[in-house]
Amino acid sequence: MHAQNPVFIPGPTNMPDAIRRACDVATIDHRSPAFAAMLNPAIAGVKRVLNMAAGEVFVLPSTGTGGWEAAITNTLSAGDTVLAARFGMFSHRWIDMCQRHGLNVEILETPWGNGMPLDRIEAALRADTGHRIKAVLATHNETATGVRSDMAGLRAAMDSAGHPALLMVDGVSSIASMPFEFTGWGVDIAVAGSQKGFMLPAGLAILGLSPRALAAMDSATLPRTYFDLRDQQKGYAAGGYPYTPPVGLIAGLAHAVTLLEAEGQEHVHARHTRIAEGVRRAVRAWGLELCAASPDHYSDTVTAVMAPKGFDGTAVVQLAAQKYGVAFGVGLGEVAGKLFRIGHLGLMSDVMMLSGLATAEMVMADLGWPVRLGSGVAAAQEYYRATSTSALSAAA
Ligand SMILES: *Cc1c(COP(=O)(O)O)cnc(C)c1O
């Protein structure tokens, strides 16, 4: 028998059938009005998902990582200083990319499991009286540790320091799943990817740029060609792209926004919070710890579960795949082997999540972890019974 189980990785996510079908389009001329009719609703929809009142959205054939590259190369110049906290694999990789582009990164080393250190960021900005720092890089949801940082608080820290740096936010594993306030938080660049909250296959980098970020494109001198957003602007003005776009993914993106809005953005966020809380209750019932250091940093899209002393988190992921055909996420970088991750974003329901928790319990029992079968599932069941709504029907 071949059965496709749901995945419990923090991207790519499970995909609604309706989105898969929406991606399946016949060949059309991407320079024809038919393509513009597909593109424009997708762009307008992403603006609404970002809560963007002013600025422009760009949808590029790439992934979130390419979105980082587009963000920095379009707005910065070699030798510019950027400020970033390193507190997980994704913040680390963005820092590494900046360094490889010849940027000077002022790094605030932060224990993995903590959120962005807002007080230290504010202090660094205050100390930078000459405004050498051109951008603050933020990882809204550190997917490696299951940690959400406070973007409103970050904006407040930047304002309180009176610093004009651009605010660039990696929202790859938060946007479309957790509240995101592009304009409200004074975000200058937001980066997302198609295969996380938008529930599409991988293949699109999705960016929002504020008017200030758009203005910075004129003076920025880092080399860029394929990702030169000035060329994209010209393409969009003519209803298309300066190259051949992935038409099917763009059609799928427009449909993804339709599904998110049919469910209602607040309901999508509430569903993620509720499902995540059930997972956290399960972890507690197992007697295990989260990597996230405090409740104000709990992520609603991914939960990183610490392995008990003497046990290997990666073994859970390997055995789950081999024996049960179910995918969880491994620990990355500094936390490799120390944890495993449960992804619960995108297409996810109470019932799907319970199957993931039950599978994790079987695997942990198989590996001799001190976890009682049914304990976490029961804790999540109690929580879901008490809070369940039929909110997922719109995404079916
Ligand atoms: C997945 C992810 C990325 C990388 O995106 P790709 O689409 O894999 O290139 C970057 N940042 C965060 C926070 C992510 O979760």
Side-chain angles (χ1 to χ4, degrees):
M1 187 194 72
H2 174 80
Q4 169 72 53
N5 289 318
V7 296
F8 300 97
I9 48 179
T13 64
N14 301 295
M15 290 187 284
D17 287 343
I19 291 186
R20 293 177 66 178
R21 284 196 296 273
C23 292
D24 184 3
V25 295
T27 305
I28 60 164
D29 176 6
H30 59 277
R31 305 200 189 278
S32 70
F35 176 66
M38 229 176 242
L39 173 66
N40 293 334
I43 299 263
V46 170
K47 277 189 187 160
R48 293 193 300 274
V49 169
L50 293 177
N51 284 302
M52 178 191 246
E56 286 180 40
V57 161
F58 298 89
V59 176
L60 312 177
S62 186
T63 67
T65 306
W68 287 341
E69 185 160 328
I72 62 173
T73 57
N74 279 281
T75 56
L76 299 169
S77 304
D80 278 356
T81 297
V82 301
L83 178 66
R86 175 154 51 201
F87 59 117
M89 197 60 180
F90 292 91
S91 42
H92 165 70
R93 285 179 47 211
W94 202 4
I95 288 168
D96 173 60
M97 176 187 277
C98 288
Q99 290 172 329
R100 292 202 229 172
H101 276 86
L103 298 171
N104 170 39
V105 189
E106 198 170 318
I107 303 172
L108 301 173
E109 298 291 353
T110 304
W112 290 35
N114 286 25
M116 290 183 67
L118 302 186
D119 47 347
R120 289 164 65 204
I121 290 170
E122 184 173 335
L125 293 173
R126 276 187 199 285
D128 179 36
T129 49
H131 296 167
R132 276 181 324 109
I133 296 170
K134 298 300 178 208
V136 174
L137 306 189
T139 305
H140 183 201
N141 189 70
E142 192 23 285
T143 318
T145 56
V147 164
R148 180 183 47 80
S149 286
D150 174 8
M151 292 299 104
L154 175 57
R155 168 43 69 194
M158 292 174 69
D159 288 350
S160 139
H163 199 289
L166 295 171
L167 173 56
M168 300 190 187
V169 180
D170 172 352
V172 178
S173 63
S174 57
I175 288 169
S177 305
M178 298 176 0
F180 195 90
E181 298 288 341
F182 185 91
T183 300
W185 297 337
V187 174
D188 291 298
I189 304 189
V191 179
S194 51
Q195 80 278 22
K196 302 210 179 166
F198 289 102
M199 303 176 285
L200 286 156
L204 298 177
I206 299 165
L207 288 108
L209 270 75
S210 72
R212 280 185 71 216
L214 292 167
M217 297 197 304
D218 294 331
S219 50
T221 60
L222 277 181
R224 74 272 200 193
T225 49
Y226 189 70
F227 287 146
D228 194 328
L229 298 180
R230 295 167 299 184
D231 294 338
Q232 291 286 340
Q233 282 179 312
K234 283 184 211 137
Y236 286 161
Y241 279 74
Y243 45 77
T244 316
V247 171
L249 285 173
I250 289 166
L253 178 60
H255 196 74
V257 173
T258 303
L259 288 190
L260 291 167
E261 293 188 324
E263 186 176 349
Q265 281 206 62
E266 331 74 60
H267 291 121
V268 171
H269 302 155
R271 173 168 55 84
H272 280 84
T273 301
R274 213 170 51 71
I275 289 176
E277 179 58 24
V279 172
R280 294 189 283 263
R281 287 178 186 224
V283 174
R284 225 170 286 142
W286 292 334
L288 301 179
E289 303 283 334
L290 299 181
C291 181
S294 57
D296 54 326
H297 288 125
Y298 289 166
S299 165
D300 286 340
T301 58
V302 54
T303 298
V305 183
M306 300 306 295
K309 235 186 158 41
F311 292 90
D312 176 13
T314 301
V316 170
V317 179
Q318 288 169 342
L319 190 62
Q322 283 161 15
K323 187 168 174 187
Y324 302 107
V326 170
F328 295 101
V330 294
L332 302 169
E334 215 172 87
V335 290
K338 293 185 183 159
L339 56 77
F340 71 97
R341 294 175 301 148
I342 303 174
H344 34 78
L345 76 167
L347 174 65
M348 187 59 63
S349 65
D350 300 359
V351 168
M352 287 164 79
M353 198 62 248
L354 288 168
S355 74
L357 294 171
T359 307
E361 283 181 357
M362 290 195 288
V363 174
M364 291 187 288
D366 291 343
L367 293 168
W369 288 32
V371 164
R372 191 163 45 82
L373 280 183
S375 58
V377 169
Q381 283 172 320
E382 289 296 357
Y383 184 71
Y384 294 154
R385 284 174 65 220
T387 59
S388 187
T389 64
S390 58
L392 191 74
S393 56

